[in-house]
Amino acid sequence: MLKEMLQYQKMDASLVKIEHELENSESKRMVNQMVEQVRAAQNKLVSIERSASQLIADYEKIKQEFEAASRNLDKAKNMDYSTLSEAGLRDSSTKINQQIATMLSLNKEITRLSKRIVSTLNEFESTKQSGVLAKKKYNESMARYDKFASDKTQKIETIRAELNKLEKLIDPKMLERYKVMRKEHKFPIFVPLVNNACGVCAMQLPNARLDLLKKNRVLECENCHRMIYLQDAD
């Protein structure tokens, strides 16, 4: 059964290679990159929308304050000052000047907010266009990846069919051990004994462990936990 297990691992290695090619292909990298760009654009658009909403709310508030100040100034201009004393005239003049200063300050704030709103809207459009472009590139990259993956599909299916046949010839416990380690991304799982050491991590086996390996033909490495076998095993 060890012979079939090693054959199984050899075929599975081809599958691992294809999986690695699929996962690390340039088209897959581009797909992932475009996904990140689309997501970043979407998040930025949400943030810009919030900022724009707050700016518009601030603008409307300042605008209302300006309009209220303007009405007050109109009232002050239309008042009859002929009956006021000199002190009353000075007081009225001070209030009018304060009202004018307030309006000038509010007008500056309105101008500033107007510019920020325009800038934010421009940023929104620019970000939206970036998102559209990233989505287009994503679709193109995904199409290339799908073609690349489809070219590998037949080979993958052929290998898996052969692996299924071999599974019937392998000891279930041995196969289960293999699959557990396969999920842990330890590959290869069954490794040869090389110079009385594990063929992967190179940990030396003491004589007692070597004797046990010769007896059982397969032995778990105490260091990397792979399954060591004798290279002349049938």
Side-chain angles (χ1 to χ4, degrees):
M1 286 190 180
L2 180 57
K3 180 179 179 181
E4 287 77 15
M5 185 71 257
L6 295 178
Q7 185 181 352
Y8 183 96
Q9 178 171 261
K10 184 177 180 181
M11 293 191 68
D12 196 24
S14 300
L15 194 60
V16 170
K17 182 180 178 181
I18 294 173
E19 289 172 347
H20 185 268
E21 288 173 353
L22 287 171
E23 185 61 29
N24 296 281
S25 66
E26 178 62 19
S27 53
K28 180 64 177 294
R29 187 189 68 79
M30 284 298 296
V31 167
N32 292 336
Q33 184 177 331
M34 290 307 106
V35 166
E36 288 303 315
Q37 287 190 17
V38 170
R39 185 180 292 117
Q42 290 173 338
N43 291 338
K44 189 174 181 180
L45 285 174
V46 171
S47 177
I48 292 172
E49 284 180 332
R50 290 192 187 124
S51 297
S53 297
Q54 186 59 52
L55 283 171
I56 291 171
D58 292 343
Y59 175 87
E60 289 299 326
K61 181 182 177 182
I62 297 297
K63 183 181 175 183
Q64 289 174 9
E65 290 179 5
F66 181 87
E67 291 171 349
S70 179
R71 288 192 296 270
N72 290 335
L73 185 60
D74 287 339
K75 289 179 182 178
K77 287 167 58 179
N78 295 326
M79 283 182 61
D80 182 10
Y81 294 98
S82 61
T83 59
L84 293 180
S85 63
E86 185 177 345
L89 286 171
R90 282 199 301 271
D91 183 59
S92 294
S93 177
T94 300
K95 288 180 179 178
I96 290 173
N97 288 334
Q98 288 175 345
Q99 202 70 36
I100 292 172
T102 298
M103 289 181 66
L104 289 172
S105 176
L106 289 171
N107 188 59
K108 287 182 180 180
E109 184 65 11
I110 288 172
T111 301
R112 186 186 71 83
L113 287 172
S114 296
K115 289 180 179 179
R116 284 193 61 189
I117 289 171
V118 171
S119 175
T120 300
L121 290 175
N122 289 337
E123 185 181 11
F124 182 88
E125 286 301 319
S126 175
T127 302
K128 186 170 72 173
Q129 288 302 316
S130 297
V132 170
L133 181 60
K135 186 66 180 294
K136 181 181 178 183
K137 288 183 178 180
Y138 165 81
N139 291 334
E140 292 172 351
S141 300
M142 196 66 198
R144 286 195 295 270
Y145 177 74
D146 287 342
K147 184 179 183 305
F148 176 76
S150 66
D151 293 340
K152 304 286 183 179
T153 299
Q154 186 174 356
K155 190 171 183 180
I156 290 173
E157 290 177 351
T158 300
I159 293 173
R160 285 178 175 165
E162 291 299 320
L163 290 175
N164 289 335
K165 290 179 183 178
L166 283 171
E167 285 186 1
K168 298 174 183 177
L169 306 176
I170 301 172
D171 177 70
K173 290 183 179 180
M174 184 181 289
L175 184 62
E176 179 62 25
R177 175 65 176 167
Y178 178 93
K179 290 185 175 181
V180 167
M181 295 190 72
R182 173 79 150 80
K183 288 180 181 178
E184 295 173 353
H185 304 290
K186 288 186 177 181
F187 205 88
I189 290 94
F190 283 80
V191 299
L193 180 73
V194 179
N195 297 324
N196 293 336
C198 172
V200 169
C201 72
M203 180 180 180
Q204 290 287 326
L205 273 67
N207 290 332
R209 297 279 291 168
L210 285 171
D211 291 340
L212 190 59
L213 174 59
K214 291 174 183 177
K215 177 182 177 181
N216 297 332
R217 304 178 73 82
V218 177
L219 185 69
E220 181 178 340
C221 176
E222 292 182 322
N223 183 48
C224 68
H225 303 293
R226 289 176 170 84
M227 306 305 293
I228 305 172
Y229 67 88
L230 294 174
Q231 293 195 65
D232 59 351
D234 293 327

